[in-house]
Amino acid sequence: MFAARMDRARRRMQELRIDVVLLSVGADLPYLTGYEAMPLERLTMLVLPRDAEAVLVVPRLEAPRVDDRVGGFTLRPWDETEDPVAIVAALASGAQRIAVGDQTWARFVLGLSAALPDTAFLNASDVLSPLRAVKDADEIAALRAAAHAADAVALEMAQERFSGRTERDVSREFAQRLIDLGHSRANFAIVASGPNGASPHHEPGERVIDPGDVVVCDFGGRMRGYCSDITRTYVVGHPTDEFADLFDVLAEAQARAVDAVEPGVPAEEIDAVARRIITDAGYGSYFIHRTGHGIGLDAHEEPYLVAGNDEKLEVGNVFSVEPGIYLPGRYGARIEDIVVVTGEGPESLNLAPHHAYIVD
Ligand code: ZN
Ligand code: ZN
Ligand code: ZN
């Protein structure tokens, strides 16, 4: 599998006339090798030439973490007294066009560009994002399993008490339950109550959840290497008529946007479908983010469902569809599912019902 991915990467390097790809922190490296660089100050870097064997330059103390049965690269452990940038620069010398992983620390990129003054540096995402955006059956199975675990957490939490607890306390419970249901880690667990719900990426804090609050809960993590990401909206006690109307609009926007998912449709069209419904209902200026993002090894990756992205959806793309409406100073609401593009219509990986969950 890794060998096939490396072959595809090399073909794309050929198309883009890239001589060497350099991958460090981030998901491109595990996509090609199964190995994830520790996001620390010591450099880990895969040197992937178009026409020669790849070399993984790795701190000697981290070399035992590398599974060398994967193949496709040799290891070059470096000692504490060596300069890893010089090692990479020597391996890449002569390259005219080098593509560097998007999340590589600037310190190393600047060091490499100083060591290789005649080389053009490009983004490795140009090589790898189109490959990673089309998932194979195993990747979709992993995303489905992660989504189902997240569904189960959303439903379990609908049985729990929210009022009288801090957002932080409820957030911890979401995260713990993801782990209890098979995630290796929780990436985030947004619990945004009352007025905090108007901030889509609210950091859960000490606010105590009150009766009557609308609570936006957006949580996800990693399971078998792949990410989950789901949002459901909870209401403590009885929802107001205004909220019920707003939430109907939101649910309609989310459902119609998912229905529009089909191979060949531009990514921006999915955003437009959701936005039109929300705008027609008078909430357009309160939908302040794009409709969705791709998901895989990374929680956010291509394709992005946003105005201006006219890339056409392909079978195997997996992304969130997550419109939201945010009333500043009052509350917010969002519904988020992960959706797969198939030849036979959209498949929503999340199956937990969309209605607002009434809790105590
Ligand atoms: Zn988000
Ligand atoms: Zn989310
Ligand atoms: Zn999301």
Side-chain angles (χ1 to χ4, degrees):
M1 174 187 77
F2 293 119
R5 289 178 180 175
M6 240 184 232
D7 281 349
R8 261 178 275 141
R10 284 196 167 102
R11 264 189 305 233
R12 204 150 157 84
M13 289 166 73
Q14 185 88 43
E15 284 165 32
L16 299 172
R17 296 181 301 109
I18 287 167
D19 303 305
V20 175
V21 166
L22 299 177
L23 300 178
S24 182
V25 176
D28 291 334
L29 178 58
Y31 183 74
L32 291 184
T33 65
Y35 182 72
E36 187 167 10
M38 300 190 82
L40 301 175
E41 77 290 359
R42 292 182 179 97
L43 178 65
T44 298
M45 188 164 263
L46 181 76
V47 181
L48 172 64
R50 197 175 55 214
D51 309 308
E53 194 175 14
V55 178
L56 183 62
V57 175
V58 63
R60 186 168 299 281
L61 80 165
E62 291 167 18
R65 302 175 68 242
V66 181
D67 181 352
D68 46 19
R69 293 164 307 178
V70 167
F73 59 87
T74 56
L75 266 194
R76 169 60 169 93
W78 59 271
D79 293 309
E80 301 280 32
T81 52
E82 286 188 287
D83 174 4
V85 170
I87 294 168
V88 171
L91 288 166
S93 72
Q96 276 163 15
R97 287 158 60 83
I98 290 183
V100 186
D102 293 24
Q103 294 172 56
T104 308
W105 302 138
R107 193 155 68 82
F108 298 127
V109 180
L110 293 172
L112 286 163
S113 85
L116 300 166
D118 301 323
T119 303
F121 286 86
L122 301 101
N123 292 311
S125 52
D126 293 342
V127 177
L128 285 151
S129 289
L131 305 183
R132 283 178 45 199
V134 177
K135 272 71 180 176
D136 66 25
D138 288 343
E139 293 184 286
I140 291 170
L143 286 160
R144 188 181 290 114
H148 289 176
D151 284 339
V153 172
L155 290 170
E156 286 177 5
M157 289 302 286
Q159 305 303 318
E160 295 298 312
R161 184 178 193 87
F162 277 46
S163 65
R165 298 172 65 184
T166 62
E167 293 175 340
R168 197 192 305 274
D169 178 38
V170 175
S171 169
R172 272 198 212 105
E173 188 170 353
F174 272 105
Q176 185 57 48
R177 283 175 185 268
L178 280 174
I179 289 164
D180 292 346
L181 291 182
H183 277 57
S184 56
R185 70 168 196 227
N187 290 336
F188 58 92
I190 297 170
V191 173
S193 64
N196 291 338
S199 167
H201 276 174
H202 173 68
E203 178 78 21
E206 293 308 316
R207 185 179 185 278
V208 175
I209 299 170
D210 282 330
D213 278 352
V214 176
V215 188
V216 180
C217 299
D218 181 350
F219 54 97
R222 249 210 228 175
M223 189 163 139
R224 289 162 53 190
Y226 283 79
C227 292
S228 62
D229 185 3
I230 183 174
T231 309
R232 291 295 182 265
T233 301
Y234 297 69
V235 179
V236 185
H238 195 71
T240 63
D241 290 346
E242 181 206 50
F243 171 82
D245 290 344
L246 176 153
F247 202 76
D248 281 347
V249 171
L250 183 64
E252 176 75 6
Q254 203 276 344
R256 293 291 83 77
V258 172
D259 289 345
V261 168
E262 212 185 328
V265 171
E268 64 184 352
E269 178 58 20
I270 309 306
D271 179 83
V273 168
R275 203 164 299 278
R276 215 173 289 137
I277 291 166
I278 290 171
T279 302
D280 287 350
Y283 295 113
S285 60
Y286 304 114
F287 177 17
I288 54 175
H289 54 72
R290 67 190 175 210
T291 292
H293 55 83
I295 186 168
L297 292 170
D298 267 329
H300 289 190
E301 57 183 50
E302 289 192 27
Y304 294 101
L305 308 183
V306 63
N309 183 9
D310 61 3
E311 293 280 328
K312 291 186 168 58
L313 299 181
E314 284 180 69
V315 172
N317 285 160
V318 182
F319 44 76
S320 69
V321 176
E322 53 174 310
I325 299 175
Y326 309 95
L327 306 181
R330 302 190 54 216
Y331 62 86
R334 180 162 67 254
I335 300 170
E336 174 178 28
D337 282 344
I338 303 304
V339 175
V340 186
V341 182
T342 81
E344 297 91 44
E347 181 195 353
S348 197
L349 296 183
N350 294 104
L351 301 172
H354 286 170
H355 61 76
Y357 296 175
I358 309 299
V359 292
D360 290 332

mmCIF file with all atom_site columns, all heavy atoms in Angstrom, residues 188 218-219 229-231 293 322 334 336, ligand 2:
data_model
loop_
_atom_site.group_PDB
_atom_site.id
_atom_site.type_symbol
_atom_site.label_atom_id
_atom_site.label_alt_id
_atom_site.label_comp_id
_atom_site.label_asym_id
_atom_site.label_entity_id
_atom_site.label_seq_id
_atom_site.pdbx_PDB_ins_code
_atom_site.Cartn_x
_atom_site.Cartn_y
_atom_site.Cartn_z
_atom_site.occupancy
_atom_site.B_iso_or_equiv
_atom_site.pdbx_formal_charge
_atom_site.auth_seq_id
_atom_site.auth_comp_id
_atom_site.auth_asym_id
_atom_site.auth_atom_id
_atom_site.pdbx_PDB_model_num
ATOM   1  N  N   . PHE A 1 188 ? -10.312 17.426 19.980 1.00 0.00 ? 188 PHE A N   1
ATOM   2  C  CA  . PHE A 1 188 ? -10.976 18.617 20.507 1.00 0.00 ? 188 PHE A CA  1
ATOM   3  C  C   . PHE A 1 188 ? -12.368 18.217 20.962 1.00 0.00 ? 188 PHE A C   1
ATOM   4  O  O   . PHE A 1 188 ? -12.918 17.205 20.494 1.00 0.00 ? 188 PHE A O   1
ATOM   5  C  CB  . PHE A 1 188 ? -11.073 19.732 19.443 1.00 0.00 ? 188 PHE A CB  1
ATOM   6  C  CG  . PHE A 1 188 ? -11.806 19.273 18.219 1.00 0.00 ? 188 PHE A CG  1
ATOM   7  C  CD1 . PHE A 1 188 ? -13.169 19.455 18.106 1.00 0.00 ? 188 PHE A CD1 1
ATOM   8  C  CD2 . PHE A 1 188 ? -11.144 18.619 17.187 1.00 0.00 ? 188 PHE A CD2 1
ATOM   9  C  CE1 . PHE A 1 188 ? -13.860 18.992 16.988 1.00 0.00 ? 188 PHE A CE1 1
ATOM   10 C  CE2 . PHE A 1 188 ? -11.819 18.150 16.072 1.00 0.00 ? 188 PHE A CE2 1
ATOM   11 C  CZ  . PHE A 1 188 ? -13.178 18.338 15.975 1.00 0.00 ? 188 PHE A CZ  1
ATOM   12 N  N   . ASP A 1 218 ? -19.142 20.128 19.465 1.00 0.00 ? 218 ASP A N   1
ATOM   13 C  CA  . ASP A 1 218 ? -18.410 19.736 18.255 1.00 0.00 ? 218 ASP A CA  1
ATOM   14 C  C   . ASP A 1 218 ? -17.159 19.015 18.721 1.00 0.00 ? 218 ASP A C   1
ATOM   15 O  O   . ASP A 1 218 ? -16.295 19.617 19.364 1.00 0.00 ? 218 ASP A O   1
ATOM   16 C  CB  . ASP A 1 218 ? -18.060 20.996 17.459 1.00 0.00 ? 218 ASP A CB  1
ATOM   17 C  CG  . ASP A 1 218 ? -17.314 20.692 16.161 1.00 0.00 ? 218 ASP A CG  1
ATOM   18 O  OD1 . ASP A 1 218 ? -16.893 19.534 15.946 1.00 0.00 ? 218 ASP A OD1 1
ATOM   19 O  OD2 . ASP A 1 218 ? -17.143 21.639 15.366 1.00 0.00 ? 218 ASP A OD2 1
ATOM   20 N  N   . PHE A 1 219 ? -17.070 17.732 18.458 1.00 0.00 ? 219 PHE A N   1
ATOM   21 C  CA  . PHE A 1 219 ? -15.957 16.972 19.028 1.00 0.00 ? 219 PHE A CA  1
ATOM   22 C  C   . PHE A 1 219 ? -15.460 15.932 18.024 1.00 0.00 ? 219 PHE A C   1
ATOM   23 O  O   . PHE A 1 219 ? -16.166 15.529 17.095 1.00 0.00 ? 219 PHE A O   1
ATOM   24 C  CB  . PHE A 1 219 ? -16.392 16.297 20.342 1.00 0.00 ? 219 PHE A CB  1
ATOM   25 C  CG  . PHE A 1 219 ? -17.620 15.438 20.217 1.00 0.00 ? 219 PHE A CG  1
ATOM   26 C  CD1 . PHE A 1 219 ? -17.518 14.078 20.039 1.00 0.00 ? 219 PHE A CD1 1
ATOM   27 C  CD2 . PHE A 1 219 ? -18.878 16.014 20.236 1.00 0.00 ? 219 PHE A CD2 1
ATOM   28 C  CE1 . PHE A 1 219 ? -18.648 13.281 19.894 1.00 0.00 ? 219 PHE A CE1 1
ATOM   29 C  CE2 . PHE A 1 219 ? -20.020 15.225 20.076 1.00 0.00 ? 219 PHE A CE2 1
ATOM   30 C  CZ  . PHE A 1 219 ? -19.901 13.863 19.914 1.00 0.00 ? 219 PHE A CZ  1
ATOM   31 N  N   . ASP A 1 229 ? -15.197 13.783 13.448 1.00 0.00 ? 229 ASP A N   1
ATOM   32 C  CA  . ASP A 1 229 ? -15.551 15.194 13.652 1.00 0.00 ? 229 ASP A CA  1
ATOM   33 C  C   . ASP A 1 229 ? -17.064 15.288 13.489 1.00 0.00 ? 229 ASP A C   1
ATOM   34 O  O   . ASP A 1 229 ? -17.586 15.035 12.403 1.00 0.00 ? 229 ASP A O   1
ATOM   35 C  CB  . ASP A 1 229 ? -14.829 16.055 12.608 1.00 0.00 ? 229 ASP A CB  1
ATOM   36 C  CG  . ASP A 1 229 ? -15.029 17.546 12.814 1.00 0.00 ? 229 ASP A CG  1
ATOM   37 O  OD1 . ASP A 1 229 ? -15.677 17.941 13.800 1.00 0.00 ? 229 ASP A OD1 1
ATOM   38 O  OD2 . ASP A 1 229 ? -14.525 18.321 11.968 1.00 0.00 ? 229 ASP A OD2 1
ATOM   39 N  N   . ILE A 1 230 ? -17.758 15.594 14.563 1.00 0.00 ? 230 ILE A N   1
ATOM   40 C  CA  . ILE A 1 230 ? -19.223 15.647 14.525 1.00 0.00 ? 230 ILE A CA  1
ATOM   41 C  C   . ILE A 1 230 ? -19.686 16.831 15.365 1.00 0.00 ? 230 ILE A C   1
ATOM   42 O  O   . ILE A 1 230 ? -19.045 17.168 16.363 1.00 0.00 ? 230 ILE A O   1
ATOM   43 C  CB  . ILE A 1 230 ? -19.839 14.326 15.060 1.00 0.00 ? 230 ILE A CB  1
ATOM   44 C  CG1 . ILE A 1 230 ? -21.369 14.329 14.948 1.00 0.00 ? 230 ILE A CG1 1
ATOM   45 C  CG2 . ILE A 1 230 ? -19.407 14.065 16.492 1.00 0.00 ? 230 ILE A CG2 1
ATOM   46 C  CD1 . ILE A 1 230 ? -22.017 12.984 15.343 1.00 0.00 ? 230 ILE A CD1 1
ATOM   47 N  N   . THR A 1 231 ? -20.778 17.472 14.933 1.00 0.00 ? 231 THR A N   1
ATOM   48 C  CA  . THR A 1 231 ? -21.417 18.485 15.775 1.00 0.00 ? 231 THR A CA  1
ATOM   49 C  C   . THR A 1 231 ? -22.886 18.150 15.933 1.00 0.00 ? 231 THR A C   1
ATOM   50 O  O   . THR A 1 231 ? -23.575 17.874 14.939 1.00 0.00 ? 231 THR A O   1
ATOM   51 C  CB  . THR A 1 231 ? -21.317 19.894 15.162 1.00 0.00 ? 231 THR A CB  1
ATOM   52 O  OG1 . THR A 1 231 ? -19.960 20.164 14.812 1.00 0.00 ? 231 THR A OG1 1
ATOM   53 C  CG2 . THR A 1 231 ? -21.801 20.953 16.149 1.00 0.00 ? 231 THR A CG2 1
ATOM   54 N  N   . HIS A 1 293 ? -14.945 20.818 5.264  1.00 0.00 ? 293 HIS A N   1
ATOM   55 C  CA  . HIS A 1 293 ? -13.525 20.550 5.020  1.00 0.00 ? 293 HIS A CA  1
ATOM   56 C  C   . HIS A 1 293 ? -13.327 19.060 4.822  1.00 0.00 ? 293 HIS A C   1
ATOM   57 O  O   . HIS A 1 293 ? -14.048 18.252 5.433  1.00 0.00 ? 293 HIS A O   1
ATOM   58 C  CB  . HIS A 1 293 ? -12.696 21.024 6.222  1.00 0.00 ? 293 HIS A CB  1
ATOM   59 C  CG  . HIS A 1 293 ? -13.162 20.427 7.531  1.00 0.00 ? 293 HIS A CG  1
ATOM   60 N  ND1 . HIS A 1 293 ? -12.769 19.179 7.953  1.00 0.00 ? 293 HIS A ND1 1
ATOM   61 C  CD2 . HIS A 1 293 ? -14.018 20.884 8.479  1.00 0.00 ? 293 HIS A CD2 1
ATOM   62 C  CE1 . HIS A 1 293 ? -13.351 18.903 9.112  1.00 0.00 ? 293 HIS A CE1 1
ATOM   63 N  NE2 . HIS A 1 293 ? -14.130 19.925 9.469  1.00 0.00 ? 293 HIS A NE2 1
ATOM   64 N  N   . GLU A 1 322 ? -21.156 21.059 7.369  1.00 0.00 ? 322 GLU A N   1
ATOM   65 C  CA  . GLU A 1 322 ? -21.407 21.592 8.703  1.00 0.00 ? 322 GLU A CA  1
ATOM   66 C  C   . GLU A 1 322 ? -21.815 23.064 8.720  1.00 0.00 ? 322 GLU A C   1
ATOM   67 O  O   . GLU A 1 322 ? -21.107 23.907 9.256  1.00 0.00 ? 322 GLU A O   1
ATOM   68 C  CB  . GLU A 1 322 ? -20.182 21.385 9.594  1.00 0.00 ? 322 GLU A CB  1
ATOM   69 C  CG  . GLU A 1 322 ? -18.854 21.897 9.044  1.00 0.00 ? 322 GLU A CG  1
ATOM   70 C  CD  . GLU A 1 322 ? -17.719 21.783 10.075 1.00 0.00 ? 322 GLU A CD  1
ATOM   71 O  OE1 . GLU A 1 322 ? -17.901 22.236 11.208 1.00 0.00 ? 322 GLU A OE1 1
ATOM   72 O  OE2 . GLU A 1 322 ? -16.660 21.236 9.712  1.00 0.00 ? 322 GLU A OE2 1
ATOM   73 N  N   . ARG A 1 334 ? -25.188 24.364 15.146 1.00 0.00 ? 334 ARG A N   1
ATOM   74 C  CA  . ARG A 1 334 ? -24.460 23.780 14.006 1.00 0.00 ? 334 ARG A CA  1
ATOM   75 C  C   . ARG A 1 334 ? -24.824 22.295 13.941 1.00 0.00 ? 334 ARG A C   1
ATOM   76 O  O   . ARG A 1 334 ? -25.091 21.668 14.972 1.00 0.00 ? 334 ARG A O   1
ATOM   77 C  CB  . ARG A 1 334 ? -22.942 23.964 14.191 1.00 0.00 ? 334 ARG A CB  1
ATOM   78 C  CG  . ARG A 1 334 ? -22.105 23.407 13.076 1.00 0.00 ? 334 ARG A CG  1
ATOM   79 C  CD  . ARG A 1 334 ? -20.665 23.966 13.052 1.00 0.00 ? 334 ARG A CD  1
ATOM   80 N  NE  . ARG A 1 334 ? -19.824 23.574 14.171 1.00 0.00 ? 334 ARG A NE  1
ATOM   81 C  CZ  . ARG A 1 334 ? -19.465 24.362 15.170 1.00 0.00 ? 334 ARG A CZ  1
ATOM   82 N  NH1 . ARG A 1 334 ? -19.864 25.614 15.223 1.00 0.00 ? 334 ARG A NH1 1
ATOM   83 N  NH2 . ARG A 1 334 ? -18.684 23.915 16.140 1.00 0.00 ? 334 ARG A NH2 1
ATOM   84 N  N   . GLU A 1 336 ? -23.162 18.901 11.979 1.00 0.00 ? 336 GLU A N   1
ATOM   85 C  CA  . GLU A 1 336 ? -22.011 18.451 11.175 1.00 0.00 ? 336 GLU A CA  1
ATOM   86 C  C   . GLU A 1 336 ? -21.994 16.942 11.038 1.00 0.00 ? 336 GLU A C   1
ATOM   87 O  O   . GLU A 1 336 ? -22.019 16.214 12.031 1.00 0.00 ? 336 GLU A O   1
ATOM   88 C  CB  . GLU A 1 336 ? -20.702 18.890 11.841 1.00 0.00 ? 336 GLU A CB  1
ATOM   89 C  CG  . GLU A 1 336 ? -19.463 18.323 11.146 1.00 0.00 ? 336 GLU A CG  1
ATOM   90 C  CD  . GLU A 1 336 ? -18.155 18.791 11.766 1.00 0.00 ? 336 GLU A CD  1
ATOM   91 O  OE1 . GLU A 1 336 ? -18.141 19.089 12.974 1.00 0.00 ? 336 GLU A OE1 1
ATOM   92 O  OE2 . GLU A 1 336 ? -17.156 18.842 11.026 1.00 0.00 ? 336 GLU A OE2 1
HETATM 93 ZN ZN  . ZN  B 2 .   ? -16.429 19.759 13.934 1.00 0.00 ? 2   ZN  B ZN  1
#
